Amino acid sequence: MRAAVRSLLGFCLLVAAACAGAPPPAPVGAQPVALEIRSQPLVLKLDEPALRRVGKLVWRGGISMTANSANFGGWSDLHVAADGKSLSSISDEGSWLTATIDYDADGNLAGLSSGRIGSLRGLDGKPLENKAMSDAEGMARLPDGSWLVAFERQHRFWRYPTLDGTPTLIEGPADLGRQPNNGGVEAVTALADGRIIAISEEYVVNPGMLRGWIGQPAGGGYTWQTFDYAKTTDFNPTALVQLPDGSFCLLERAFDMARGVRVRVMQFDAADVKPGGTVRAKELAWLVSPYAVDNLEGLAARKGARGETLLWLISDDNFNPVQRNILLMFELEK
């Protein structure tokens, strides 16, 4: 009960802060800085601390994180290196994060170390400064090692050679700018063949369906085709990643004042993503208090040492003191 109240209180205060126009932190600046990341261990379920499973996900550890930087927070998407040794993330206030992932003797998530934080830059090479331009919500590692970053408000895709580099514009779908101001692309991933798969958080063209796009590499840019993602009532997609078996995993988030935040971990087949098609995902797990949950917006996946599929989920604390930056690690049940 206390956890549910805490979650509800956090989002109530978030709404109040948004209405009051709470100022965001100033940009990190022109040069990246080192971070001391402090981690506190989490249990999967507060009232059953020995629990190790939710739905089709097996608990592999979780942490609540703070750091010695006012810019540490707002984490909106996530990438974990193929060897599982490091992660990268972006913030909806225009920062990027890199860190080493620390594991315990059983290979479970224990903490983060060797952190660095810096500012995402604009097309002019200068750090992004205002919310309209710095609202980075989705990221994907492209086959050549560069980064695709999706922004809301000023809806666009930028390609970064490195996260601290100067980006170039990727010409997006013709209707990208029709998305709601704060309901653009958060769920985006890149495939090994160079295709981009993106799903809008709130843009509806056909009733009950969210707009999805497939970007096919062509002549240094992309040609775009559309598909539909079947929307679950109250829920909207916040992150997307391709799993080692070729299928896709997606986070869906819902919030209301009565029930607080809820997150669904979803899966769908690669064959469902086709021009003119409709994707209908199936649920792998449901996270709601007293399970470990917050405003989860980032998702990463890779194979583990035993060939298992591992998932990482990261939260956006909205720079609200009663929310948390949490990082969760799960193993997908075979």
Side-chain angles (χ1 to χ4, degrees), residues 290-311:
Y291 285 91
V293 70
D294 211 285
N295 182 32
L296 294 166
E297 291 198 1
L299 177 65
R302 74 165 189 92
K303 278 188 177 182
R306 296 179 281 103
E308 76 274 31
T309 296
L310 298 175
L311 298 175

Side-chain angles (χ1 to χ4, degrees), residues 153-205:
R153 301 179 195 270
Q154 295 289 330
H155 300 295
R156 64 200 189 278
F157 295 134
W158 281 356
R159 184 202 305 267
Y160 285 82
T162 59
L163 288 178
D164 60 352
T166 299
T168 56
L169 174 68
I170 290 178
E171 193 68 35
D175 56 349
L176 192 70
R178 298 176 191 169
Q179 299 177 100
N181 181 56
N182 196 30
V185 171
E186 296 198 10
V188 62
T189 193
L191 311 188
D193 62 8
R195 285 180 295 160
I196 296 171
I197 310 297
I199 303 174
S200 179
E201 183 184 10
E202 295 183 3
Y203 179 37
V204 174
V205 177

Side-chain angles (χ1 to χ4, degrees), residues 79-120:
H79 179 270
V80 171
D83 61 8
K85 294 181 179 180
S86 62
L87 62 75
S88 303
S89 187
I90 53 171
S91 167
D92 60 12
E93 293 292 347
S95 298
W96 55 262
L97 165 73
T98 61
T100 297
I101 304 175
D102 300 322
Y103 300 92
D104 64 17
D106 296 319
N108 298 323
L109 176 63
L112 298 179
S113 58
S114 303
R116 294 175 74 240
I117 191 170
S119 292
L120 290 171

Side-chain angles (χ1 to χ4, degrees), residues 24-35 68-73 75 89 91 93-98 116-121 126-130 134 164 319:
V28 175
Q31 298 300 320
V33 297
L35 281 178
N68 59 332
S69 170
N71 298 93
F72 187 85
W75 306 119
S89 187
S91 167
E93 293 292 347
S95 298
W96 55 262
L97 165 73
T98 61
R116 294 175 74 240
I117 191 170
S119 292
L120 290 171
R121 298 176 185 272
K126 298 178 181 179
L128 297 173
E129 292 188 352
N130 63 75
S134 63
D164 60 352
F319 294 94

Side-chain angles (χ1 to χ4, degrees), residues 1-4 43-48 287-293 324:
M1 177 64 72
R2 284 181 297 176
V43 295
L44 174 58
K45 193 165 186 275
L46 282 175
D47 56 355
E48 296 182 62
L287 296 174
V288 64
S289 183
Y291 285 91
V293 70
R324 299 174 297 170

Side-chain angles (χ1 to χ4, degrees), residues 125-293:
K126 298 178 181 179
L128 297 173
E129 292 188 352
N130 63 75
K131 184 67 173 181
M133 291 299 292
S134 63
D135 194 357
E137 296 287 353
M139 72 185 303
R141 195 73 182 266
L142 296 171
D144 65 0
S146 63
W147 298 92
L148 172 75
V149 177
F151 292 85
E152 281 186 339
R153 301 179 195 270
Q154 295 289 330
H155 300 295
R156 64 200 189 278
F157 295 134
W158 281 356
R159 184 202 305 267
Y160 285 82
T162 59
L163 288 178
D164 60 352
T166 299
T168 56
L169 174 68
I170 290 178
E171 193 68 35
D175 56 349
L176 192 70
R178 298 176 191 169
Q179 299 177 100
N181 181 56
N182 196 30
V185 171
E186 296 198 10
V188 62
T189 193
L191 311 188
D193 62 8
R195 285 180 295 160
I196 296 171
I197 310 297
I199 303 174
S200 179
E201 183 184 10
E202 295 183 3
Y203 179 37
V204 174
V205 177
N206 299 315
M209 302 287 173
L210 294 169
R211 172 53 55 94
W213 294 278
I214 304 167
Q216 181 72 42
Y222 294 85
T223 59
W224 297 93
Q225 295 174 296
T226 65
F227 66 94
D228 284 330
Y229 181 83
K231 176 176 167 54
T232 305
T233 302
D234 297 332
F235 284 82
N236 295 90
T238 63
L240 177 67
V241 70
Q242 189 170 38
L243 299 179
D245 68 0
S247 66
F248 292 91
C249 187
L250 180 140
L251 297 184
E252 293 184 345
R253 176 195 57 207
F255 166 75
D256 59 55
M257 301 300 284
R259 292 171 289 180
V261 65
R262 290 99 65 205
V263 172
R264 302 173 76 203
V265 184
M266 310 294 289
Q267 185 178 21
F268 57 90
D269 293 335
D272 296 338
V273 184
K274 55 189 176 183
T278 298
V279 171
R280 300 182 187 276
K282 60 183 179 181
E283 183 180 297
L284 296 176
W286 172 286
L287 296 174
V288 64
S289 183
Y291 285 91
V293 70

